Amino acid sequence: MTSNQNWTTKKAVALNYKQGTSRAPAVKAKGRGWTAERIIEAAAEQDVPVHKDAGLVHMLHELEWNEEIPEELYEVVAEIFAFIYRMDKKTAGKNEN
């Protein structure tokens, strides 16, 4: 998930990707103001990492719900997903000890 921290124009976009099922990540939720805050709160409640990048959230916010991200965003979103995957593995390893 990405968010823009400017309180007057706060935006958030949640992405979903299912390996083997999805062609590309798609927008599952998006909003501004109070809705953006609620998306971020819901992510925190579910231990979903939030990535803050105003430029990326601006581009993703232009997409429709369930719309797959465009190819020009594949690389940056893949880097974010890879980082989250590595963090999940680290956290899982710490929980096993």
Side-chain angles (χ1 to χ4, degrees):
M1 174 167 359
T2 61
S3 71
N4 176 352
Q5 287 302 103
N6 182 341
W7 290 101
T8 59
T9 59
K10 188 172 200 171
K11 295 179 186 177
V13 178
L15 298 176
N16 185 27
Y17 177 71
K18 294 182 180 173
Q19 190 172 5
T21 305
S22 305
R23 277 186 339 122
V27 174
K28 288 302 170 189
K30 68 178 189 172
R32 296 174 195 222
W34 181 85
T35 304
E37 289 179 33
R38 231 0 249 135
I39 291 168
I40 295 166
E41 288 171 8
E45 290 167 6
Q46 298 297 316
D47 293 323
V48 173
V50 175
H51 177 78
K52 298 171 186 166
D53 183 322
L56 180 59
V57 78
H58 177 75
M59 288 184 277
L60 293 172
H61 207 270
E62 297 297 315
L63 303 174
E64 298 297 324
W65 288 336
N66 294 319
E67 184 176 352
E68 292 180 347
I69 65 168
E71 285 187 35
E72 47 280 5
L73 296 180
Y74 282 8
E75 187 175 343
V76 68
V77 171
E79 288 174 12
I80 293 166
F81 279 16
F83 173 77
I84 292 168
Y85 176 75
R86 286 191 304 272
M87 294 304 293
D88 283 348
K89 285 188 78 157
K90 270 187 187 177
T91 302
K94 287 181 181 178
N95 290 338
E96 291 175 3
N97 296 329

